Amino acid sequence: VQLVESGGGLVQPGGSLTLSCAASGFTFSSYVMSWYRQAPGKERELVAQITGAGGWSEYADSVKGRFTISRDNAKNTVYLQMNSLKAEDTAVYYCYAHRTYYRDYWGQGTQVTVSS
């Protein structure tokens, strides 16, 4: 099983980034997929999540209207489109796969730094 994030980097305030998480080794479409983030000295927090078929999603209040989560089950990939980035969005972003009664999986994380 693998969850491999990509797309992180350094971006100026107000800029955009799209994170990708490529999954393998499990039935991707049966899992709720989430993005979490962890800033230095802070606890890991849920950013967004999306159901297996992609029909429902949820966002943290701090990112509503700026971030969009989506998934492509044919490609076993979940995305996080991040717009209007702020310094407080700086964190390591993690992909997370969850399915009730089954084992959960975490990716290794990708660094997002918002700075001028």
Side-chain angles (χ1 to χ4, degrees):
V1 171
Q2 279 194 311
L3 291 174
V4 180
E5 300 100 332
S6 61
L10 174 64
V11 62
Q12 293 187 342
S16 298
L17 279 177
T18 299
L19 305 182
S20 300
C21 172
S24 61
F26 62 98
T27 309
F28 180 75
S29 61
S30 295
Y31 281 70
V32 173
M33 296 302 299
S34 305
W35 287 97
Y36 281 74
R37 67 185 181 186
Q38 187 167 21
K42 295 188 176 181
E43 292 188 354
R44 193 171 295 189
E45 63 173 353
L46 176 65
V47 175
Q49 58 183 347
I50 187 168
T51 51
W56 176 87
S57 58
E58 183 179 45
Y59 298 88
D61 287 343
S62 59
V63 306
K64 280 180 182 176
R66 300 188 298 121
F67 289 12
T68 302
I69 189 170
S70 62
R71 65 192 296 161
D72 185 338
N73 287 344
K75 295 183 178 180
N76 285 0
T77 302
V78 61
Y79 305 95
L80 186 68
Q81 172 68 44
M82 305 185 294
N83 298 326
S84 303
L85 283 160
K86 307 175 182 179
E88 50 263 44
D89 295 318
T90 295
V92 177
Y93 284 70
Y94 297 91
C95 182
Y96 173 66
H98 169 73
R99 182 182 180 188
T100 304
Y101 307 125
Y102 288 75
R103 180 179 173 179
D104 299 341
Y105 305 108
W106 286 96
Q108 83 288 350
T110 186
Q111 176 70 47
V112 172
T113 302
V114 184
S115 175
S116 55

